[in-house]
Amino acid sequence: MNTVLKLLTLFLPWSLRRRLLIRIWGYKIDPTARIGLAWVFPRQLSMAAHSIIDHLTVCKDLDRLELGEYAIVGRLNWITGYPSGPSRHFSHEPDRTPVLVVGNHSAITNRHLIDCTAAVEIGDFTTFAGFQSQILTHSIDLEHGRQSSAPVRIGSYCFVGTNCVILGGSRLPDYSVLGAKSLLKNAFGEEYGLYAGVPATRRKSLSPGFKYFQRTEGFVW
């Protein structure tokens, strides 16, 4: 019955649909925020002013999805996790949090795959750009023969190029670029850098004077 009710809400006018999402599921959705024709049903949803989730995106099995002001999740994104609670999987990770947090003025563009089995955090004014990039927070621990997960952090004022793979436990520092087709698997800390390659390493320093790093709004003209 719950699934049928969710399906029915997809085709309602947004003003009515928003009221039902708030009343029935307890979501927090600012009056200026909007969800398109998309299957978005985490346990908790928080959408700040002017945030958007576009058409044909799927978001399920997350404990929480949080979008800051003017944050955008584009079309045809697949965002999934593994809910917290008693389970054979990840029982050795009691502090695991399956959440996605997208900061103010940040954007996840179109056709990406984001695994939020562990927490994924994207800072402010960051662009998860291009197509077909993947964030994979869980895998099989071959040594112990079990599933394992680790969070991912993408900093503020970052740019992630097309067709990248970002593995659990990795970190892209603030004011950084991840080059197209790169594999990020380490937690880097030095800001203002270009990280690229398989696996990604710091290739060169970037000037703090770049206008991308000084934006006051997320959209790049």
Side-chain angles (χ1 to χ4, degrees), residues 49-63:
H50 306 286
S51 58
I52 296 172
I53 301 174
D54 213 339
H55 303 308
L56 302 180
T57 280
V58 171
C59 178
K60 63 177 186 173
D61 296 332
L62 270 65
D63 281 7

Side-chain angles (χ1 to χ4, degrees), residues 154-180:
I154 299 173
S156 297
Y157 289 91
C158 288
F159 182 90
V160 176
T162 193
N163 203 14
C164 290
V165 176
I166 300 173
L167 300 182
S170 60
R171 179 176 181 267
L172 186 66
D174 296 346
Y175 305 101
S176 295
V177 173
L178 182 63

Side-chain angles (χ1 to χ4, degrees), residues 120-160:
V120 174
E121 182 178 355
I122 297 174
D124 299 335
F125 293 93
T126 284
T127 309
F128 198 81
F131 306 98
Q132 297 182 332
S133 287
Q134 302 175 50
I135 297 178
L136 302 170
T137 62
H138 87 284
S139 185
I140 294 177
D141 182 336
L142 298 179
E143 180 180 359
H144 298 98
R146 64 188 182 191
Q147 299 274 354
S148 66
S149 68
V152 164
R153 159 74 183 175
I154 299 173
S156 297
Y157 289 91
C158 288
F159 182 90
V160 176

Side-chain angles (χ1 to χ4, degrees), residues 1 11 35 38 71 74 86 95 108:
M1 185 63 183
F11 303 100
I35 302 175
D95 298 327
I108 298 171

Side-chain angles (χ1 to χ4, degrees), residues 90-113:
F90 310 107
S91 59
H92 59 292
E93 298 176 357
D95 298 327
R96 181 181 62 87
T97 52
V99 304
L100 172 61
V101 178
V102 183
N104 299 327
H105 291 268
S106 287
I108 298 171
T109 59
N110 304 319
R111 287 185 278 169
H112 300 294
L113 188 155

Side-chain angles (χ1 to χ4, degrees), residues 9-19 21-22 27-42 45-57 59 65-75 77 79 106 108:
T9 65
L10 294 180
F11 303 100
L12 295 173
W14 171 241
S15 58
L16 177 56
R17 184 181 172 200
R18 175 181 169 273
R19 289 198 294 271
L21 291 173
I22 292 171
Y27 292 163
K28 297 178 180 179
I29 305 174
D30 187 87
T32 61
R34 184 175 181 85
I35 302 175
L37 184 62
W39 186 267
V40 180
F41 289 101
L45 174 64
S46 176
M47 296 182 67
H50 306 286
S51 58
I52 296 172
I53 301 174
D54 213 339
H55 303 308
L56 302 180
T57 280
C59 178
L65 172 61
E66 179 179 334
L67 271 64
E69 294 184 357
Y70 293 93
I72 298 173
V73 176
R75 299 187 179 194
N77 291 294
I79 303 169
S106 287
I108 298 171

